[in-house]
Amino acid sequence: MATERPSTPSPLVSTSHPGAIPKSPLTPEQVRKIEVNRLKAKALRDQREAEARKQTPPSLTRSSSNLAAGQKRAHSAISTSNVPATLRDGRSTDSANSGSLRPLDDIQPARNFTKFVEYDFSRMTDTKGGFLTVEDDPHNKALHASNADEKPAHMTLKEWERHQLLRSLQDQKAGPFEPGLSVLKKGESKVCRECGSLEIDWKWEDIFGCAVCNACKEKVPEKYTLLTKTEAREDYLLTDPELKDDELLPHLERPNPHKATWNNMMLYLRYQVEEYAFTQKWGSAEALDAEFAKREAAKKQRKEDKFKSKLHDLKKKTRVEAYRRSRQAGAGGGTFGDDIRSGGKHTHVWGRTVEDSEGGGVKTCVECGMEVEELEF
């Protein structure tokens, strides 16, 4: 029996072009020959390209416009060993780092972007006035100063509360921070100026320079009470520059009780304020009272002058209005209240009270016709 040739199934007739003759499919022998010829052509092309690279010197041109589709650039075309200085490229030109991308510090910006700075937002500090890094402004105290009112990250809540308590005791010089008392050094220790006790208020002694105990502060309130800045200015007629001078009048600062965001309250010791006002400022208490009475009289006089000025302006406006009404009446001249017909002062002659539609009483002048409403309670 003869060997049968391999055959392919008959293709389906295309219905898109009914008059066209269908092409016969390729046999497996034809497909094999096509593939062998393609591989031979590819090998010949690679051989010719290799010979051309050996004969021609390496080119520094990095443009890929002359390359065929699918053709790779040679290694010499992308090498950075002999790169001209005028070539602007994002890769490193350093021979030590040849072929590697250069770091950001080596990149030189263009002329139009020389003032541009790229910040690392992970290292930013919010200063409530813009974002600046510590490296950019090392002399700025706001960037380097730590906020004492905020809890540090390394502290627990109990440790932070204990730290706050110790700091308040240190400010008040109380508890473990209170200066030690010793009977052996009684002559050198500070004692109360009233009773001679050793247990004085060290905070007052530090701020006011006044050694007094807590018991004497309550027994003698006329000397050791605290005055606000407003009381010292109004009662003792002191000025703001005098009250702000710590050497002249030391003061104690407390949080404002009216509003926490307002300025701190400034408190002064009464006997220090009186001593300065009576001896240095005015000379005596009588002189202070005389100055206070003088200022009160001047204030009262200013109020009276202001009231008289306003009353005078009101009278002028009233006279002008009365004159205008008289001119509109057509009689000319005269003053307000004069009888225009007879030239004398007009006196109303009221008639009987007549009840109007609303239930109220109305009286009418017999001579001028003026009406007045009457209300009965």
Side-chain angles (χ1 to χ4, degrees):
M1 186 175 180
T3 306
E4 295 181 359
R5 290 182 58 187
S7 61
T8 56
S10 58
L12 297 175
V13 180
S14 177
T15 58
S16 58
H17 302 283
I21 301 174
K23 293 182 180 181
S24 59
L26 296 176
T27 62
E29 184 67 19
Q30 293 175 343
V31 173
R32 187 182 63 80
K33 289 181 179 181
I34 291 173
E35 184 66 20
V36 170
N37 293 335
R38 187 182 68 81
L39 294 176
K40 288 181 179 181
K42 185 177 180 181
L44 289 175
R45 187 191 64 181
D46 294 342
Q47 184 179 1
R48 291 172 185 173
E49 290 179 356
E51 293 176 357
R53 285 196 296 268
K54 292 179 181 179
Q55 295 176 0
T56 58
S59 177
L60 297 177
T61 304
R62 302 192 179 192
S63 176
S64 60
S65 59
N66 297 328
L67 298 177
Q71 184 179 359
K72 295 183 179 180
R73 293 180 296 175
H75 181 268
S76 59
I78 61 175
S79 177
T80 58
S81 58
N82 298 320
V83 178
T86 58
L87 182 62
R88 293 183 62 86
D89 197 339
R91 287 168 292 193
S92 177
T93 58
D94 189 5
S95 59
N97 299 326
S98 178
S100 62
L101 297 178
R102 62 183 181 178
L104 294 177
D105 297 336
D106 296 339
I107 298 178
Q108 299 297 328
R111 182 183 304 173
N112 296 335
F113 299 96
T114 54
K115 295 182 180 180
F116 174 77
V117 180
E118 184 176 0
Y119 291 102
D120 185 4
F121 287 95
S122 63
R123 303 173 63 184
M124 288 293 176
T125 302
D126 188 2
T127 59
K128 308 302 181 183
F131 291 93
L132 290 177
T133 59
V134 179
E135 290 79 4
D136 292 336
D137 197 356
H139 303 287
N140 193 342
K141 296 180 180 179
L143 293 177
H144 298 276
S146 59
N147 193 355
D149 296 334
E150 295 182 1
K151 183 179 76 67
H154 65 277
M155 278 191 180
T156 61
L157 184 59
K158 290 185 178 180
E159 292 176 351
W160 174 243
E161 292 177 354
R162 184 175 181 275
H163 177 72
Q164 292 286 90
L165 177 61
L166 291 177
R167 189 168 63 179
S168 62
L169 292 176
Q170 186 177 7
D171 294 340
Q172 297 176 3
K173 288 191 174 183
F177 301 98
E178 185 177 0
L181 303 178
S182 176
V183 295
L184 300 177
K185 300 180 180 180
K186 189 174 181 179
E188 300 177 3
S189 301
K190 296 181 179 180
V191 297
C192 178
R193 56 185 307 196
E194 298 291 338
C195 64
S197 174
L198 293 175
E199 298 179 354
I200 64 174
D201 190 339
W202 294 101
K203 188 174 183 180
W204 276 35
E205 199 279 329
D206 186 25
I207 296 177
F208 297 114
C210 174
V212 62
C213 62
N214 294 325
C216 292
K217 286 193 295 185
E218 297 179 359
K219 291 179 182 178
V220 193
E222 62 272 7
K223 292 176 63 176
Y224 301 110
T225 52
L226 296 176
L227 301 175
T228 62
K229 184 178 179 180
T230 304
E231 293 174 345
R233 183 174 57 244
E234 294 180 355
D235 296 345
Y236 296 93
L237 306 180
L238 301 179
T239 60
D240 287 340
E242 293 172 344
L243 295 173
K244 291 180 180 179
D245 192 352
D246 293 337
E247 297 181 357
L248 190 64
L249 290 173
H251 63 273
L252 174 67
E253 290 191 2
R254 294 271 181 83
N256 199 307
H258 301 288
K259 200 169 185 179
T261 57
W262 290 356
N263 293 332
N264 291 338
M265 184 171 53
M266 302 171 64
L267 302 177
Y268 300 86
L269 202 54
R270 180 182 291 273
Y271 88 90
Q272 292 180 351
V273 174
E274 291 181 351
E275 183 179 356
Y276 172 74
F278 294 161
T279 58
Q280 301 182 32
K281 179 76 174 180
W282 305 110
S284 63
E286 291 77 10
L288 175 62
D289 295 339
E291 180 66 21
F292 185 81
K294 178 182 176 182
R295 294 190 181 187
E296 289 295 325
K299 186 188 298 184
K300 184 178 180 181
Q301 185 65 32
R302 286 195 299 270
K303 288 184 178 180
E304 291 180 357
D305 293 343
K306 186 177 181 180
F307 175 75
K308 289 181 180 180
S309 176
K310 290 185 177 181
L311 184 61
H312 181 67
D313 294 340
L314 182 60
K315 287 182 179 180
K316 287 173 62 177
K317 292 179 181 179
T318 305
R319 285 196 296 267
V320 170
E321 184 67 19
Y323 179 74
R324 185 184 63 80
R325 289 181 179 179
S326 63
R327 295 289 294 177
Q328 289 179 354
T335 58
F336 183 74
D338 292 344
D339 189 356
I340 299 175
R341 292 171 294 181
S342 61
K345 189 174 181 64
H346 172 68
T347 303
H348 294 290
V349 180
W350 304 106
R352 294 178 59 185
T353 302
V354 180
E355 185 176 355
D356 59 358
S357 59
E358 297 180 357
V362 177
K363 291 194 304 183
T364 306
C365 180
V366 178
E367 297 183 358
C368 66
M370 180 177 180
E371 295 183 351
V372 178
E373 295 183 358
E374 286 187 349
L375 298 176
E376 295 182 1
F377 299 98

